Amino acid sequence: MWAVRSFTMQQMGRMAGLGRAAPAATRGFAKKAAKGDETFEVEITTPFEGHKLDEMPDQKVETTKAEVLGFFKDLFRMRRMEISADILYKGKFIRGFCHLYDGQEAICVGMEASINYEDAIVTSYRDHCTYLGRGGNMYEVIAELLGRRDGCSKGIGGSMHMYLRENNFYGGNGIVGAQVPLGVGIAFQQKYNKKENCTFTMYGDGAANQGQGFEALNMAALWDLPVVYVCENNHFGMGTAEWRGSKQPAFYKRGDYVPGIKVDGMDVFAVKKAVAFAKDYVIKHGPLIMEMDTYRYHGHSMSDPGSTYRTRDEVSGIRSQRDPIERVRKLIQTMELATTAELKAIEKAARKEVEDAIAKAKECPEPPEEWLTKNIYSAAPHGFRTVRGTERGSLHPAS
């Protein structure tokens, strides 16, 4: 048996403008874990909230030293990548739209701890970290952001359109909410083919009012499809606070006849536990809505300073009390899972990985001009072999 020790992490008393209070929390966990493969329990401090669920996941989750250190590494890699993307965008190496995920990384990391690559994920335009979590590599992300041919979408998709078919990651979708019914379609395929897997169709609080989401949810409920609607509630749809844009901001209850659960999306252990519960539930019973209570540190996109609709004190307060990386760091230090020097070595390796990817991507050529007309039409069976150009009478090869 592990001896149990607890300490207090003071949560935000009230997040300015969000209209809700978060209680003080106490985390309990084993004092030490001597080996990487020994299991111990971590207490989830923020209670899950349910809607029309007969059973709820308990507030404890099993983990190991190796998994906790892996969480720290993955969270830090994602954070460094997104911070570097900010710098690259400001240096005009990244053009067009760019939506960063820093602050929300625990959702991606915690999800992947409870699913496999036979399960499917489809998400919105805030997709860089999800691509990494699905097994993509850092270089492919950076190269895509820079519009280079080695990128995960061959430099043609850019920030919003990353894709990894072999690991069932279906993007990266630029139209608000459009990915939600796609996820329901993927879940239909899983049930039709009798797969013991499910789909996580992800969207933000700003997309939660989209009609197509409710239409697809009705189909999913009628057919008991194995789909989890994951609302990443970072509390601002672009610059609009949730309470200004949604009459009912308890998004996990928005399915009415479909059960829901609310999760602390800044706690990687809570996400891991809830996602394991959700996968098992939807395979047996049909759709579930999962609201991830999270926060983004950057603005909606790089064109948004993120300071006109919220205060800097609010952002710094969330960072100091709920940051996913610092919560894991605190656990590691208190349980003596790694020394300060070992954690710094993990951080140094992550920085080098990002720097090496950037340097390599800058040397990679851009896609050739003839790729502009590729993959628009199929030559067979329709016989489309050309694409019209912008000038009258101009044609380009389509195949």
Side-chain angles (χ1 to χ4, degrees), residues 7 59 97 123 130 141 147 150 166 209 257 264 303 333 362 367:
F7 68 94
Q59 295 296 130
F97 295 104
T123 191
T130 310
V141 175
D150 286 351
E166 57 266 35
N209 298 317
Y257 48 84
D264 181 358
S303 61
Q333 292 174 334
K362 286 181 177 179

Side-chain angles (χ1 to χ4, degrees), residues 67-375:
E67 182 177 65
V68 174
L69 293 177
F71 284 168
F72 181 82
K73 176 183 176 181
D74 290 342
L75 290 166
F76 195 85
R77 287 175 71 231
M78 292 177 181
R79 180 69 57 83
R80 288 306 308 175
M81 180 181 72
E82 295 295 72
I83 290 172
S84 296
D86 171 279
I87 296 169
L88 289 167
Y89 190 94
K90 290 173 179 175
K92 298 184 178 180
F93 290 99
I94 298 174
R95 301 289 185 148
F97 295 104
C98 185
H99 305 81
L100 303 183
Y101 203 65
D102 49 322
Q104 301 182 209
E105 303 95 340
I107 298 174
C108 176
V109 175
M111 282 183 63
E112 294 293 349
S114 289
I115 62 177
N116 57 55
Y117 292 153
E118 293 301 311
D119 298 307
I121 296 178
V122 60
T123 191
S124 67
Y125 37 74
R126 207 178 301 276
D127 62 348
H128 312 158
C129 294
T130 310
Y131 180 84
L132 268 192
R134 287 274 83 186
N137 69 58
M138 186 78 67
Y139 172 60
E140 292 165 344
V141 175
I142 300 297
E144 190 62 38
L145 289 172
L146 269 58
R148 306 307 169 96
R149 64 186 300 163
D150 286 351
C152 57
S153 296
K154 307 300 182 185
I156 297 172
S159 170
M160 300 192 294
H161 300 286
M162 298 188 178
Y163 187 85
L164 192 61
R165 172 64 182 86
E166 57 266 35
N167 288 349
N168 285 293
F169 176 49
Y170 296 93
N173 292 268
I175 304 301
V176 174
Q179 72 278 4
V180 176
L182 298 181
V184 173
I186 297 166
F188 177 85
Q189 171 269 137
Q190 289 170 324
K191 183 166 185 176
Y192 185 86
N193 290 307
K194 296 181 173 57
K195 296 180 180 179
E196 290 296 309
N197 298 100
C198 69
T199 296
F200 295 84
T201 187
M202 306 179 71
Y203 58 99
D205 51 292
N209 298 317
Q210 288 273 321
Q212 58 192 325
F214 290 99
E215 293 170 36
L217 185 64
N218 182 60
M219 294 182 194
L222 281 170
W223 300 331
D224 295 327
L225 300 183
V227 61
V228 184
Y229 270 50
V230 182
C231 178
E232 296 183 279
N233 181 12
N234 59 31
H235 301 285
F236 295 96
M238 297 187 72
T240 303
E242 58 180 355
W243 60 270
R244 293 175 65 96
S246 296
K247 182 65 176 178
Q248 167 56 293
F251 296 103
Y252 69 105
K253 297 181 179 180
R254 294 284 288 275
D256 185 20
Y257 48 84
V258 173
I261 185 172
K262 183 178 178 181
V263 183
D264 181 358
M266 306 285 274
D267 183 344
V268 68
F269 298 101
V271 175
K272 175 190 172 183
K273 183 75 173 188
V275 167
F277 169 85
K279 177 178 176 178
D280 180 70
Y281 181 91
V282 301
I283 290 173
K284 294 176 180 176
H285 306 294
L288 176 75
I289 295 180
M290 178 179 289
E291 178 184 348
M292 297 286 193
D293 182 4
T294 187
Y295 201 84
R296 57 170 163 79
Y297 296 153
H298 270 83
H300 170 72
S301 69
M302 285 301 299
S303 61
D304 168 24
S307 58
T308 58
Y309 48 85
R310 59 184 183 178
T311 66
R312 296 188 185 278
D313 287 343
E314 179 185 316
V315 179
S316 62
I318 298 291
R319 281 182 180 273
S320 65
Q321 300 297 329
R322 298 183 64 203
D323 184 77
I325 298 174
E326 296 310 311
R327 292 168 86 163
V328 175
R329 188 196 304 274
K330 184 69 173 179
L331 175 65
I332 292 169
Q333 292 174 334
T334 305
M335 293 184 61
E336 301 176 17
L337 299 178
T339 65
T340 300
E342 288 170 334
L343 293 181
K344 287 186 177 297
I346 292 173
E347 294 173 352
K348 182 178 180 181
R351 290 190 180 95
K352 186 177 188 304
E353 181 186 10
V354 175
E355 290 168 0
D356 289 349
I358 292 171
K360 185 178 179 181
K362 286 181 177 179
E363 295 300 317
C364 180
E366 295 179 352
E369 186 175 319
E370 58 266 24
W371 283 14
L372 286 171
T373 56
K374 301 294 184 183
N375 302 311

